[in-house]
Amino acid sequence: MAPFDLVALLGVTGSYLVYLGIGFGFGFILESSGFGDSRKLAAQFYFRELRVLKVMFTAIVVAMLLVFWASALGLLDYDEIMVKETWLWPGIVGGLIMGVGFILGGYCPGTSLVSVATLKVDGMFFLLGHVVGVLAFGESVGYINEFWNSSYMGRFILPELLGLDTGVVVLLVVCLALVMFLGFGWIQRIIYGRGDPE
Amino acid sequence: MKALFKPQVLGAGFLLAAAGALALYGQPDLEQKWEFMAPEYASRLEYREVYIDPAELLHLMNDDYIELLIYDVRDERDWNIFHLVDSERIDLADLPSQRKRLEGLSEMGVVVVVSNDEILATRAWKQLMALAKPNVYILEGGINHWLNVYGIVDDEHQGHDTASLARPDGTLRHPFKLALGARHAAARPDEHRVPQRRYTAKVKLLKKVVKAGGCG
């Protein structure tokens, strides 16, 4: 039953090769989907181009279905998968900061790495700022320690929040993604008189 | 009609169908999950690797470095008659509520499940493994065995006879004169005053595997 201990199965070198392969595939898909271009990334916030949004949410929905179908069939122990724990208010504030940074800078931390791989100068500066920001946070977090550790909720996932079965929540998220694709496409056509190229 | 066969429409239809089927199929409950896990973990029961001697449990109860959690899964009546000090009574059906607590146990955390014999405790062990895979053990022979080892026979209010362990039926087979709960002398005997028993130590502390991941 997955997840497997890759180091035990393949050894350190073997597991690193698997990580390398996954990283290569991830980077390849991100770059080919336009995640390495800040103009395309930023354009989604103005409904000019929705490709990034569609790729991201399709990936989320497909991964979610694979994970929970694997769990339902006994192929994967979902409880053994790492899920970020929730600190509600710090998470909300952090999300806002990251969202503003994403719109202003055109990248999130991961996509800035993709852009650096294709030698985009704006990505390099974004990544440099990111590293400096990380260092600054590390030096200053002691001043906001109380807030930083507040509203801890542990491993808190949507089925717990909504009080629904996991399968029902998965169905709702898939519907949400599809409605969002249609709705944003509709907004795009109203504002710009065209949709994304098919 | 032609629009229906566009790749994105077909893809959306496939995702919806897969999600709808998943909602109907559901996720495994603890018993189903144990069935999935059994090939990997059932041998621990078969070879009795997780059944610990009362003396080992007593040692754990007196070890300040161990974060010991004792779940007593017997019914309330038996619990009121006798239970181990610091144990917590919980029904099997309520075990899922312990998930976060079990996940939060440190590397020094050890869980021991007790019942009158081993029947209920073994069921609880399976459910706990399916729930959070804690470092969990079962009291060998249950409370009946514990009382055979540590019960005090010369006290009028606490006295009882030795119970047969040959045919475990899940009942408390020691006749008590009073329901003393954890006030019974055998609820936490003095480790240094009771007769020393030889036993094979089975409890091993687990090294916690750090789960990692996320997306930038």
Side-chain angles (χ1 to χ4, degrees):
Chain A
M1 195 182 215
F4 302 112
D5 183 347
L6 283 185
V7 176
L9 279 175
L10 307 171
V12 174
T13 310
S15 62
Y16 283 1
L17 286 174
V18 171
Y19 303 148
L20 189 68
I22 292 172
F24 173 83
F26 199 65
F28 186 90
I29 295 296
L30 286 179
E31 172 60 23
S32 60
S33 303
F35 282 67
D37 186 333
S38 60
R39 288 162 299 188
K40 285 182 180 163
L41 286 165
Q44 69 184 321
F45 295 109
Y46 307 99
F47 300 101
R48 272 205 300 270
E49 166 153 343
L50 302 176
R51 183 163 49 161
V52 168
L53 178 96
K54 288 176 182 172
V55 169
M56 179 69 89
F57 267 85
T58 304
I60 288 171
V61 164
V62 169
M64 183 177 62
L65 279 167
L66 286 174
V67 164
F68 288 110
W69 261 116
S71 166
L73 297 174
L75 303 172
L76 169 74
D77 186 352
Y78 171 67
D79 294 323
E80 289 293 303
I81 293 182
M82 188 264 186
V83 174
K84 284 273 185 206
E85 292 164 313
T86 299
W87 282 265
L88 186 63
W89 286 106
I92 289 172
V93 172
L96 282 171
I97 292 171
M98 182 169 158
V100 170
F102 198 166
I103 294 174
L104 294 178
Y107 292 111
C108 71
T111 53
S112 68
L113 282 174
V114 178
S115 70
V116 169
T118 50
L119 302 177
K120 292 201 172 60
V121 177
D122 60 345
M124 292 177 191
F125 276 96
F126 189 94
L127 185 63
L128 182 65
H130 177 65
V131 171
V132 173
V134 167
L135 291 173
F137 175 79
E139 291 301 315
S140 61
V141 67
Y143 297 108
I144 55 164
N145 217 16
E146 197 173 328
F147 175 70
W148 173 240
N149 289 300
S150 65
S151 54
Y152 176 69
M153 298 168 75
R155 181 183 163 122
F156 192 73
I157 54 177
L158 280 177
E160 286 174 60
L161 175 69
L162 302 173
L164 295 170
D165 284 342
T166 304
V168 176
V169 173
V170 168
L171 179 61
L172 289 176
V173 173
V174 171
C175 291
L176 177 79
L178 295 178
V179 167
M180 198 168 63
F181 293 164
L182 289 173
F184 283 11
W186 181 69
I187 294 172
Q188 188 184 34
R189 277 190 294 278
I190 287 179
I191 298 176
Y192 301 105
R194 57 159 179 82
D196 273 345
E198 290 182 0
Chain B
M1 189 66 189
K2 196 177 170 186
L4 282 178
F5 294 101
K6 282 183 178 176
Q8 51 271 59
V9 176
L10 289 174
F14 177 75
L15 289 176
L16 265 180
L22 182 68
L24 292 174
Y25 193 84
Q27 293 292 299
D29 61 20
L30 289 183
E31 289 193 5
Q32 289 168 321
K33 197 172 163 191
W34 168 252
E35 294 301 320
F36 294 140
M37 294 167 63
E40 197 174 343
Y41 295 101
S43 63
R44 294 189 190 177
L45 295 173
E46 194 181 335
Y47 296 111
R48 298 192 64 79
E49 292 168 7
V50 292
Y51 293 91
I52 62 169
D53 191 89
E56 186 166 15
L57 175 55
L58 181 61
H59 179 67
L60 293 173
M61 289 165 78
N62 286 284
D63 188 336
D64 292 338
Y65 291 100
I66 298 293
E67 191 183 346
L68 181 64
L69 195 56
I70 305 174
Y71 285 132
D72 190 325
V73 292
R74 298 174 302 152
D75 63 29
E76 197 165 354
R77 177 188 168 277
D78 290 349
W79 161 266
N80 287 336
I81 291 172
F82 174 82
H83 62 259
L84 302 177
V85 167
D86 294 335
S87 63
E88 297 174 29
R89 197 187 84 74
I90 185 161
D91 290 320
L92 282 183
D94 294 331
L95 283 176
S97 67
Q98 300 295 303
R99 181 196 298 273
K100 289 204 167 148
R101 190 177 182 195
L102 294 169
E103 286 170 349
L105 284 176
S106 70
E107 290 185 351
M108 303 304 284
V110 173
V111 182
V112 179
V113 204
V114 300
S115 59
N116 284 328
D117 293 305
E118 294 173 354
I119 304 165
L120 267 184
T122 302
R123 279 177 61 193
W125 186 89
K126 291 175 182 174
Q127 292 201 13
L128 289 172
M129 286 298 288
L131 191 66
K133 290 199 196 114
N135 193 13
V136 58
Y137 298 85
I138 298 165
L139 175 61
E140 189 176 64
I143 291 293
N144 283 317
H145 188 201
W146 176 276
L147 287 167
N148 280 353
V149 175
Y150 296 121
I152 296 167
V153 293
D154 57 357
D155 185 306
E156 187 185 341
H157 296 297
Q158 301 182 353
H160 44 72
D161 299 322
T162 301
S164 168
L165 302 175
R167 289 186 180 175
D169 59 3
T171 60
L172 183 61
R173 292 188 297 286
H174 289 268
F176 282 81
K177 296 185 175 102
L178 292 171
L180 292 174
R183 287 173 292 143
H184 193 287
R188 185 174 187 164
D190 186 331
E191 188 184 11
H192 303 293
R193 292 191 176 184
V194 294
Q196 297 302 301
R197 286 169 59 82
R198 282 177 176 274
Y199 64 88
T200 307
K202 293 177 181 171
V203 172
K204 292 174 190 155
L205 297 179
L206 290 181
K207 191 174 178 192
K208 276 213 156 187
V209 179
V210 179
K211 296 174 189 170
C215 172

